[in-house]
């Protein structure tokens, strides 16, 4: 069982992601915005973070840029975004995301990715 942080400001989408990952048997924590996500990442360790690109307080990109390299090296980060431009993808990957999933996505697609990376 992995410890996963799901950070997305859209409550319905966050609930869908949490339900999908809990069905796989993972221990899930949630963050409603970038500030809360950054705080949780600084306070505890996670095996995986599902991080929305566009959130209030801090964007997912700003969260990544604020994290120490050690956290980014020890944590798999999946960036979710409706911003599917190549420049956005490259910025997320340069900041420390290892995977990039464009919205909208299917729960099955996320489930397969999580199974593959953990």
């Amino acid at each position: 069982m992995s410890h996963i942080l799901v950070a997305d400001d859209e409550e319905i989408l966050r609930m869908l992601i949490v339900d999908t990952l809990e069905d796989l048997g993972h221990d899930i924590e949630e963050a409603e915005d970038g500030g809360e996500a950054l705080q949780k990442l600084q306070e505890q360790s996670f095996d995986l973070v599902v991080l929305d690109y566009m959130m209030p307080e801090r964007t997912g990109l700003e969260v990544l840029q604020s994290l120490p390299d050690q956290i980014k090296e020890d944590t798999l980060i999946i960036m979710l975004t409706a911003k599917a431009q190549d420049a956005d993808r490259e910025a997320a990957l340069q900041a420390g995301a290892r995977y990039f999933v464009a919205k909208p996505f299917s729960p099955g697609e996320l489930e397969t990715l999580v199974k593959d990376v953990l």
Side-chain angles (χ1 to χ4, degrees), residues 4-17:
I4 299 175
L5 176 63
V6 176
D8 197 308
D9 61 312
E10 294 178 48
E11 183 178 4
I12 292 173
L13 182 58
R14 193 174 64 248
M15 287 172 34
L16 174 67
I17 296 167

Side-chain angles (χ1 to χ4, degrees), residues 43-114:
E43 293 173 352
Q44 49 189 309
S45 63
F46 294 92
D47 300 301
L48 174 70
V49 178
V50 180
L51 186 64
D52 184 25
Y53 197 107
M54 297 187 307
M55 291 186 289
E57 277 197 47
R58 288 178 183 248
T59 66
L61 187 61
E62 290 169 338
V63 169
L64 286 177
Q65 291 169 337
S66 299
L67 290 175
D69 288 340
Q70 189 62 50
I71 291 176
K72 291 187 271 190
E73 290 169 15
D74 294 344
T75 309
L76 291 169
I77 299 168
I78 298 173
M79 181 72 77
L80 298 178
T81 186
K83 295 173 63 101
Q85 302 294 328
D86 286 343
D88 299 318
R89 177 186 178 93
E90 188 59 35
L93 295 173
Q94 287 289 329
R98 296 210 204 149
Y99 303 93
F100 192 89
V101 176
K103 291 180 181 178
F105 60 90
S106 73
E109 178 184 357
L110 181 63
E111 184 176 322
T112 300
L113 177 58
V114 170

